[in-house]
């Protein structure tokens, strides 16, 4: 079987036409985790006027050499202060208050003594002290949050400050997930013989896709029955944007998925990529829907879902990338196990601003060891032309904590 290179498969995936223009408006309070479908632009300066950043007295800086300065009154936060101070005068001004006209400095309360309606300067401050200038936070017209940003707590806080009641977000793509194989048992089903395998792929991938911003549709498990698998696929494509299956794509007598995909009218974009794990992966398209048939082993299906499904989800959400890749330095020697592009679970540490990779507690074995991805792991990439790598070599690493 002729295998595509990993780079070619990714380029072909990137060239697939994906509908990324579907949007909806949701309440700000319901937007956490959604992806912005428009830039958030400031309509006003922040602040719109010079503002006190501490409690103190608004003064002319040139008056701080005087022995005493008369207090005209108070200026609470939220009041529309209209008085103008003159030399020898000050106004008690609180955090967040508009600075009075004529004042260019705020001297904090702890730097003065108050007697008989006047302040005495105990410790002077520089010109402009504790005054937020106009536009310190942002200027009118600034793009504060870019389209394609996944909304977190900070984004919600900024939009609340802008009085955004409703937010335009990308509609979450629906991703149907199913595990195939007569040996697979779904959760809660009693085992009848020790050779049966407890299903985890469909739960792992559904959680991964939800974390990436999609709506996962859990289809559970189905045995190696050609007609049953075909009917399940056809039904799933009625409502799902992407159908992801695990198992049944290899070359065995009961690997039916690879035969079913063309029979339901889908065009195979490619089958077989020179990667480890997951070289039997299939990517297919039917109109504006996609089918990704992944291997059955837990680690293989998870890695290939990250590499091939997450980019499609990201494109549908209008995001520029599905994950972050960084350069890291090998902290120990690495033995490459094949001539394919390999994706190896590793640990990533940051020291003095630089990423380092090691394989502490990572087991070497088959593509079934999903536990290698526990403990904030990452995926180290080694290319087809790479051999064994010495300690200190720089490698590319996919971070798994920022979907």
């Amino acid at each position: 079987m002729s295998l595509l290179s990993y780079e070619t498969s990714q380029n072909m995936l990137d060239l697939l036409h994906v509908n990324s223009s579907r949007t909806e408006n949701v309440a700000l309070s319901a937007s956490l985790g959604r992806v912005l479908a428009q830039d958030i632009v400031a309509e006003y300066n922040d602040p719109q006027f010079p503002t006190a950043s501490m409690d103190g007295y608004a003064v002319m800086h040139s008056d701080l050499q005087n022995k005493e300065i008369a207090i005209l009154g108070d200026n609470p936060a939220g009041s529309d202060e209209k008085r103008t101070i003159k030399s020898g005068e000050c106004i008690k001004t609180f955090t967040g208050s508009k600075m009075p006209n004529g004042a260019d400095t705020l001297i904090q309360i702890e730097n003065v003594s108050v007697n008989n309606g006047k302040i005495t300067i105990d410790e002077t401050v520089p010109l402009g002290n504790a005054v937020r200038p106009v536009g310190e936070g942002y200027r009118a017209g600034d793009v504060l949050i870019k389209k394609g940003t996944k909304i977190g707590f900070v984004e919600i806080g900024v939009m609340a400050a802008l009085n955004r009641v409703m937010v335009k977000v990308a509609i979450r793509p629906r991703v149907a997930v199913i595990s195939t194989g007569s040996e697979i048992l779904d959760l809660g089903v009693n085992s009848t013989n020790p050779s049966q395998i407890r299903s985890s792929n469909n739960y792992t991938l559904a959680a991964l896709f939800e974390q990436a911003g999609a709506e996962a549709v859990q289809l559970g498990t189905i045995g190696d029955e050609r007609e049953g698998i075909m009917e399940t696929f056809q039904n799933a494509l009625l409502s799902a944007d992407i159908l992801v299956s695990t198992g049944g794509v290899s070359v065995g007598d009961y690997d039916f998925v690879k035969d079913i995909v063309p029979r339901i009218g889908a065009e195979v974009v490619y089958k077989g990529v020179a990667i480890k794990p997951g070289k039997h992966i299939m990517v297919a398209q039917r109109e504006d829907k996609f089918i990704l048939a992944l291997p059955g082993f837990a680690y293989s299906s998870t890695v290939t879902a990250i590499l091939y499904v997450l980019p499609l989800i990201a494109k549908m959400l209008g995001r520029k990338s599905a994950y972050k890749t960084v350069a890291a330095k090998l902290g120990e020697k690495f033995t490459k196990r094949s001539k394919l592009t390999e994706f190896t679970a590793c640990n990533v540490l940051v020291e003095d601003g630089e990423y380092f990779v090691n394989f502490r507690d990572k087991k070497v074995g088959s593509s079934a060891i999903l536990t290698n991805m526990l403990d904030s792991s990452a995926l180290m990439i080694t290319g087809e032309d790479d051999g064994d790598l010495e300690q200190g070599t720089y490698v590319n690493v996919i971070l798994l904590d920022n979907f």
Side-chain angles (χ1 to χ4, degrees):
M1 179 176 66
S2 177
L3 299 176
L4 284 180
S5 71
Y6 169 66
E7 292 77 15
T8 300
S9 74
Q10 288 291 299
N11 289 337
M12 291 175 67
L13 191 74
D14 190 51
L15 290 172
L16 293 175
H17 175 70
V18 169
N19 186 353
S20 59
S21 60
R22 299 180 302 170
T23 64
E24 63 180 337
N25 290 315
V26 300
L28 177 65
S29 58
S31 68
L32 183 66
R34 301 297 297 272
V35 175
L36 274 173
Q38 64 180 149
D39 290 338
I40 300 298
V41 181
E43 296 180 14
Y44 307 101
N45 296 326
D46 176 54
Q48 297 182 54
F49 39 75
T51 305
S53 64
M54 303 179 71
D55 293 345
Y57 294 86
V59 299
M60 291 181 175
H61 187 261
S62 57
D63 280 351
L64 294 183
Q65 307 307 316
N66 299 340
K67 289 186 177 181
E68 294 180 329
I69 304 174
I71 304 171
L72 296 185
D74 288 354
N75 174 22
S79 62
D80 187 13
E81 179 59 61
K82 296 185 180 300
R83 288 171 289 185
T84 300
I85 68 167
K86 298 189 291 290
S87 180
E89 298 175 340
C90 67
I91 295 177
K92 190 173 186 180
T93 298
F94 296 86
T95 304
S97 297
K98 177 181 177 182
M99 287 291 289
N101 294 325
D104 57 14
T105 300
L106 186 118
I107 184 167
Q108 51 264 48
I109 289 174
E110 54 266 34
N111 284 31
V112 304
S113 300
V114 180
N115 293 293
N116 299 321
K118 296 180 180 180
I119 62 169
T120 301
I121 310 303
D122 297 328
E123 183 179 345
T124 190
V125 294
L127 175 66
N129 182 69
V131 178
R132 293 187 65 210
V134 172
E136 180 195 53
Y138 46 79
R139 293 276 181 180
D142 285 352
V143 177
L144 302 183
I145 313 173
K146 291 183 179 180
K147 175 182 177 180
T149 299
K150 191 171 184 180
I151 299 172
F153 65 92
V154 176
E155 287 77 15
I156 285 180
V158 169
M159 288 189 284
L162 296 173
N163 195 31
R164 293 292 183 117
V165 178
M166 303 295 290
V167 183
K168 187 177 182 181
V169 297
I171 288 179
R172 299 170 67 194
R174 289 170 60 89
V175 184
V177 185
I178 185 167
S179 292
T180 71
S182 297
E183 77 281 15
I184 303 297
L185 282 181
D186 209 341
L187 297 188
V189 177
N190 290 330
S191 175
T192 57
N193 73 70
S195 66
Q196 293 174 313
I197 301 169
R198 187 63 63 186
S199 175
S200 66
N201 291 349
N202 48 319
Y203 294 98
T204 305
L205 300 189
L208 173 66
F209 303 149
E210 290 270 357
Q211 194 171 328
E215 177 187 350
V217 181
Q218 179 62 260
L219 299 181
T221 63
I222 187 169
D224 290 318
E225 305 163 6
R226 183 179 273 106
E227 296 306 316
I229 294 174
M230 188 160 69
E231 182 180 354
T232 300
F233 276 28
Q234 289 174 321
N235 289 337
L237 289 173
L238 294 176
S239 61
D241 301 294
I242 304 172
L243 169 61
V244 177
S245 67
T246 66
V249 292
S250 189
V251 291
D253 292 343
Y254 296 97
D255 291 325
F256 298 133
V257 171
K258 65 182 185 299
D259 304 319
I260 288 169
V261 169
R263 288 180 61 189
I264 62 175
E267 179 183 351
V268 176
V269 179
Y270 50 80
K271 183 186 186 309
V273 180
I275 56 174
K276 181 180 177 62
K279 71 177 182 179
H280 294 296
I281 181 174
M282 176 191 288
V283 176
Q285 183 173 8
R286 191 176 83 176
E287 298 176 346
D288 60 347
K289 308 292 183 76
F290 297 90
I291 302 172
L292 285 94
L294 311 181
F297 274 144
Y299 181 72
S300 297
S301 63
T302 305
V303 169
T304 49
I306 291 168
L307 299 178
Y308 293 92
V309 184
L310 293 198
L312 283 177
I313 293 173
K315 287 181 72 171
M316 290 180 178
L317 290 170
R319 304 192 76 187
K320 290 185 178 179
S321 60
Y323 45 75
K324 183 178 180 181
T325 303
V326 299
K329 185 182 288 188
L330 271 175
E332 59 186 84
K333 183 177 179 179
F334 174 74
T335 302
K336 195 159 184 287
R337 300 172 62 202
S338 75
K339 294 182 179 181
L340 307 176
T341 297
E342 290 187 8
F343 297 86
T344 306
C346 62
N347 306 303
V348 174
L349 306 173
V350 180
E351 297 177 6
D352 298 325
E354 186 172 14
Y355 290 97
F356 288 85
V357 165
N358 68 58
F359 306 97
R360 192 172 301 114
D361 298 327
K362 302 302 181 189
K363 297 178 181 178
V364 176
S366 73
S367 298
I369 308 176
L370 184 63
T371 52
N372 272 346
M373 300 183 81
L374 290 172
D375 302 320
S376 301
S377 294
L379 292 177
M380 186 185 80
I381 308 171
T382 46
E384 291 184 44
D385 296 331
D386 289 329
D388 294 347
L389 302 178
E390 296 299 322
Q391 180 178 347
T393 304
Y394 279 95
V395 292
N396 288 323
V397 175
I398 296 173
L399 302 183
L400 303 182
D401 57 359
N402 64 336
F403 299 141

